[in-house]
Each structure stands twice: as C-alpha cells, then as structure tokens.
C-alpha cells in the first residue's frame, strides 16, 4: 500500500489530541466531585438491590431501566398496592453524562452496549470494515444518557398511521395528553402552549449556551421562506433552536427525571448489573424471569401480574428469541426450544440516516469572540470555560456540539426532510438527491 502523508499527519494530530482531551475530562470529573454537588446528586442516586434483597415474586417485573423502562417503573409503582422490580444490566448514570458538550465521549464506553452494524457494500464505506457503531445505553436511563438530548416527539401522521393500522389508542390525539403530562416545559414562550405541560417529571429547555452563528442560521432560514416554529407544536414545518431534555442546562435523562425522585418508594426495587437470561412462559403466559446478577447463580423471579419487556430495539427481540419467541428457523438454529413462532420478532429494524459528507469548514469573521462563530474544541476546552462552568454555571460546556438548530422542511415529494445542522444552511437542491422510501434525512454539520 502506498504511503499517504496526509493520512499520517492526520493520525499524528489525532493521537496528540488524546492526551490533553482525556486529562481535561478527568479534571472535570474531579471538579464535579468538589464543586458541583447538584451534578453529583448523592442524596438521590439509586439504591441497588443485591441478589439477597430481591424478592421471589413481584406484581410487575420490568426488564430494562432505559428510556421507557424508567417511566414504566415510575407509573406502575404509583400504586402503593403493587410491587415492582426494575432490572437493569448497566450501572447508574455517570456524572459526566450531565454535561451536554461531552455527550460524544460517552459512546463506546462501559455505559454503551457497543453494538456495530453488519458490514455493508452500500453504506459506512468510510469506516473500518464498512461497519458503523450503533450506540445503545447500557445504563439506567438507557440511550437517554448517551443521546444528543434533542426533544422531538415525532410527526402527527406517523401516530395516526399506527392507529389506522389497528393499534387502537396510538393516534396523535391519544398520545398527546401523555406527552403533556410527563413534561415540565421551561422554555418561557412555550409554557402556556396547549401542546406542552408544566410540573411533569421530564424537563425541557433550550440549551443554555449557543454558538454565535445560530442567530445567523435562523435568519437564513427565514430568507428561504421558513418560520421559526415550535416543532413539537401544531405544525413541524420550519426551524427552531433545538429543544432539549435538560434541567438547569444539564442533561435530564429518564432516570434523572422518573427514577431519582421516587427511589425511596418501598414497593419499588431496582437491581443494577443484572441480566435477564430468559422470560419464563407457562401456558402461553409470561410468569417470570430468570436473572443473573454479576455472574451469580441464575435466580427465578415470578411476576404475579405482568412482565414488561422494555430492553430496547435490539435487546428486546434478542431476549424474546432467547425465550423461544420469534422466527422458528432462527430459534432452532440457536438451539433454543420454540415457545411461539412469531416471524416478525427482530424484523424491520430501522434507524435515522446520517450523511457526514455535508460538512463545511469556514473562517470566523468575528475576531472579537475568542471561541469563534462555531465550536472548535481547542478553544472550548480551556481554563476560562472550566471556570465558567464550575463557578458561574454557564459557558460552552452547556452547548451541544451538533444540531444547535433543527428544522423540518417541505419537499416536492411525499414526506419531509429533517435538517439538523450545527451551523450552515445548504442549498435546498441537495435535499432532492437523497431519498429513501419517499423520505429523506440529511444532517448538515459545520465546524469552524
């Protein structure tokens, strides 16, 4: 293979950046311990039940304490007459996950299942083995601990399509009251909106810090005919400063929102570092789970009422198939006894498409701002921003390094484009080049 001097220089620059970056993050972690008790939140951290403290039976067993499981455990345990066991394979969420700017550093760590896609000849061509990482949270709060914190409910017509397909109770008007109930909207201009609620567990804010170019971005969208709108309101078409699952500028995962406030409920037990090996099925009904905590001897826990499977898009079908539920041919091949042949289990997995090629480099025209118009990490990870964060509770560590502005854009065909851009607007002609099943997703990023 011919030597590529550009690649060699790039590799050297990346290698040299690791030391200072890791040291800075370690310094932040130590400083949180001493100067930010609101982040450490010792009094509200979850109590992990040891194997000897787990009962033989509960009314409900919830598998997975992630984005959904945390909410389910909260709502079920509101009934003091019901006992609930919440099982989570991962740990309590780390303190660093609270800091918006650091969210990319959480992926491919111990709080991530570290899944990869299958090799492909038509995508991920710039990655090793043509495989993309597929971050999934192995932590209480699940992927709401790893994600970019964007609060986007989805499109009204998608919910209505689920209802029309036979899923009664899943239309937009059916689910909207639950979105409102769970929400504590803290964006002043949206607090009185009929589409939002206050006083719920999950707080929603704008990111506390933003790049100077954000305002220019929004002005540019107006010039091409789009208004600044509430994308979680009456109509999604338009642009907005991103709404985030944030509390006082910091990440508000579903664990922080729904579990920490109720951790002392006597009828709720939470077991961390615990794997469910299979769901026990008797006479066609789920009656319990077989669990193992940190490699202990498997233990059977009975569910008097229901087993709730909320282990995520990958682990939920995986556990069903380990329990003999799913495509018979795949289950037989794995040597598992078939409980129920359901060919749809594990099928139709989809994720949003990201196009990393729509990237812009630019020189900041404003020399008066030491950080520039955008996000340049060497300018952000400094002593000054460190002091801003810990002393003043402000500064670029409260900023998201991707998608400070997002929008939904009408296209000439069925569907819509989701444009999530750090800073730069790109020509709308590009949107018509990339479509999949009538829908396009384009991420435009700029670093300057």
């Amino acid at each position: 293979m011919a030597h590529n001097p550009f690649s060699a220089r790039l590799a050297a620059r990346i290698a040299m950046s690791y030391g200072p970056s890791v040291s800075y993050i370690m310094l932040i972690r130590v400083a949180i311990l001493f100067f930010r008790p609101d982040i450490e939140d010792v009094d509200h951290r979850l109590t992990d039940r040891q194997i000897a403290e787990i009962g033989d039976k509960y009314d409900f067993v919830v598998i997975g304490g992630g984005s959904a499981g945390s909410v389910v455990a909260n709502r079920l345990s509101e009934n003091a007459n019901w006992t609930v066991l919440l099982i989570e394979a991962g740990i309590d969420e780390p303190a660093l996950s609270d800091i918006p700017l650091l969210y990319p550093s959480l992926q491919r760590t111990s709080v991530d299942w570290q899944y990869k896609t299958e090799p492909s000849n038509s995508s991920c061509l710039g990655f090793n083995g043509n495989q993309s990482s597929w971050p999934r949270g192995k932590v209480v709060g699940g992927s709401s601990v790893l994600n970019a914190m964007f609060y986007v409910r989805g499109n009204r017509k998608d919910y209505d399509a689920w209802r029309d397909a036979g899923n009664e109770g899943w239309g937009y008007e059916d689910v909207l009251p639950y979105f409102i109930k769970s929400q504590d909207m803290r964006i002043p201009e949206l607090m009185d909106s009929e589409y939002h609620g206050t006083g719920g567990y999950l707080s929603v804010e704008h990111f506390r810090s933003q790049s100077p170019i954000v305002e220019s971005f929004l002005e540019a969208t107006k010039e091409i005919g789009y208004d600044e709108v509430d994308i979680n309101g009456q109509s999604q078409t338009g642009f907005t400063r991103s709404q985030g699952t944030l509390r006082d500028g910091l990440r508000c995962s579903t664990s922080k929102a729904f579990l920490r406030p109720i951790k002392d409920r006597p009828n709720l037990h939470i077991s961390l570092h615990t794997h469910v090996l299979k769901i026990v099925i008797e006479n066609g009904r789920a009656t319990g789970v077989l669990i193992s905590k940190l490699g202990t001897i498997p233990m059977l826990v009975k569910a008097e009422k229901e087993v709730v499977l909320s282990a995520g898009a990958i682990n939920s079908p995986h556990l069903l198939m380990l329990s003999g539920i799913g495509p018979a041919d795949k289950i037989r091949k794995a040597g598992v006894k078939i409980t129920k042949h359901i060919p749809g289990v594990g099928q139709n997995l989809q994720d949003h498409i990201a196009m990393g090629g729509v990237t812009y480099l630019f020189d900041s025209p404003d020399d008066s701002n030491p950080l520039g118009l955008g996000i340049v990490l060497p300018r952000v990870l400094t002593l000054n921003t460190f002091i801003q964060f810990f002393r003043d509770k402000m500064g670029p560590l409260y900023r998201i390094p991707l998608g400070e502005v997002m929008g939904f854009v009408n296209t000439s065909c069925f569907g819509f484009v989701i444009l999530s851009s750090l800073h730069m607007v790109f020509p709308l002609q590009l949107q018509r080049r990339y479509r999949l099943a009538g829908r396009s997703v384009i991420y435009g990023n700029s670093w300057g």
Side-chain angles (χ1 to χ4, degrees):
M1 181 179 295
H3 177 66
N4 186 333
F6 176 78
S7 297
R9 289 197 299 271
L10 179 61
R13 289 180 62 185
I14 293 174
M16 287 188 293
S17 71
Y18 282 157
S21 298
V22 171
S23 299
Y24 191 87
I25 291 175
M26 291 176 63
L27 179 61
I28 289 176
R29 180 64 190 96
V30 173
I32 287 174
L33 186 63
F34 290 100
F35 302 115
R36 292 299 300 268
D38 57 319
I39 295 178
E40 201 66 28
D41 200 17
V42 175
D43 293 337
H44 298 99
R45 290 287 174 167
L46 305 183
T47 301
D48 178 23
R49 296 282 173 170
Q50 300 304 310
I51 198 73
E53 300 174 297
I54 298 175
D56 295 330
K57 62 181 180 180
Y58 294 82
D59 289 307
F60 295 90
V61 175
V62 181
I63 304 172
S67 297
S70 298
V71 181
V72 171
N74 176 305
R75 298 305 191 191
L76 289 175
S77 60
E78 286 178 352
N79 187 332
N81 296 319
W82 288 345
T83 55
V84 180
L85 172 64
L86 177 63
I87 301 172
E88 169 54 47
I91 62 174
D92 197 359
E93 54 195 318
L96 285 176
S97 67
D98 272 26
I99 303 176
L101 187 71
L102 299 185
Y103 97 87
S105 67
L106 301 170
Q107 298 177 8
R108 292 186 288 182
T109 68
S110 61
V111 296
D112 179 6
W113 283 97
Q114 302 185 40
Y115 292 126
K116 286 188 175 294
T117 61
E118 289 292 317
S120 170
N121 293 321
S122 59
S123 63
C124 306
L125 303 183
F127 298 122
N128 292 333
N130 293 4
Q131 293 177 285
S132 172
S133 294
W134 197 316
R136 295 285 87 194
K138 188 181 182 182
V139 57
V140 175
S143 296
S144 73
V145 174
L146 306 184
N147 65 17
M149 293 154 280
F150 300 138
Y151 182 76
V152 183
R153 291 173 177 171
N155 189 269
R156 173 192 298 265
K157 291 185 178 180
D158 286 329
Y159 294 100
D160 290 345
W162 295 339
R163 177 202 61 204
D164 296 342
N167 299 289
E168 186 178 351
W170 282 96
Y172 181 76
E173 296 297 333
D174 299 310
V175 300
L176 181 60
Y178 295 99
F179 279 122
I180 294 173
K181 176 184 178 181
S182 69
Q183 188 182 58
D184 183 22
M185 171 54 73
R186 298 186 175 188
I187 299 172
E189 60 268 28
L190 299 180
M191 291 175 65
D192 294 327
S193 168
E194 61 180 307
Y195 293 93
H196 297 282
T198 58
Y201 285 102
L202 183 67
S203 55
V204 177
E205 304 173 347
H206 283 317
F207 289 88
R208 179 169 289 189
S209 175
Q210 68 177 38
S211 302
I213 205 172
V214 164
E215 296 303 325
S216 299
F217 185 105
L218 290 171
E219 284 300 317
T221 64
K222 293 176 183 177
E223 289 181 9
I224 59 174
Y226 290 95
D227 294 327
E228 187 172 349
V229 300
D230 172 17
I231 62 169
N232 294 308
Q234 183 176 4
S235 173
Q236 283 191 313
T237 303
F239 286 78
T240 182
R241 288 175 55 199
S242 296
Q243 298 177 23
T245 49
L246 302 160
R247 180 175 297 163
D248 299 325
L250 304 170
R251 178 190 296 274
C252 184
S253 69
T254 58
S255 173
K256 179 190 286 189
F258 290 91
L259 290 182
R260 291 193 197 180
I262 55 108
K263 75 178 190 69
D264 293 325
R265 284 181 183 170
N267 62 329
L268 173 63
H269 289 179
I270 300 172
S271 183
L272 307 179
H273 309 285
T274 305
H275 286 77
V276 176
L277 306 180
K278 67 178 294 187
I279 301 169
V280 178
I281 309 294
E282 296 178 346
N283 298 321
R285 179 179 177 271
T287 60
V289 295
L290 192 65
I291 66 172
S292 178
K293 186 178 178 75
L294 294 174
T296 59
I297 297 174
M299 171 185 177
L300 176 64
V301 179
K302 303 287 284 186
E304 296 289 286
K305 296 185 183 298
E306 291 183 11
V307 173
V308 179
L309 178 55
S310 55
I314 296 176
N315 287 337
S316 287
H318 181 211
L319 185 54
L320 284 174
M321 287 189 274
L322 287 176
S323 307
I325 302 171
D329 57 339
K330 289 184 172 61
I331 293 174
R332 287 195 187 96
K333 187 176 180 180
V336 176
K337 181 181 177 181
I338 296 174
T339 302
K340 178 73 172 179
H341 171 58
I342 303 179
V345 173
Q347 303 300 306
N348 198 33
L349 178 63
Q350 300 179 37
D351 197 5
H352 54 295
I353 302 168
M355 300 188 63
V358 188
T359 301
Y360 298 85
L361 298 175
F362 63 93
D363 295 323
S364 174
D366 183 6
D367 294 331
S368 64
N369 190 322
L371 297 179
L373 287 182
I375 295 177
V376 181
L377 285 181
R379 298 180 186 175
V380 171
L381 302 181
T382 65
L383 178 60
N384 184 51
T385 59
F386 182 90
I387 293 173
Q388 281 184 308
F389 182 80
F390 286 98
R391 185 189 67 190
D392 306 325
K393 296 185 178 180
M394 59 179 294
L397 289 179
Y398 283 98
R399 192 179 299 174
I400 190 73
L402 172 72
E404 294 187 87
V405 173
M406 66 171 58
F408 288 73
V409 181
N410 288 328
T411 63
S412 57
C413 67
F414 169 77
F416 52 83
V417 170
I418 300 174
L419 168 62
S420 175
S421 173
L422 181 65
H423 301 129
M424 301 295 286
V425 175
F426 55 85
L428 293 183
Q429 295 93 310
L430 289 177
Q431 299 169 5
R432 300 188 179 93
R433 297 185 185 177
Y434 308 103
R435 294 195 177 100
L436 179 64
R439 294 193 174 179
S440 305
V441 183
I442 296 178
Y443 286 82
N445 306 324
S446 67
W447 300 84

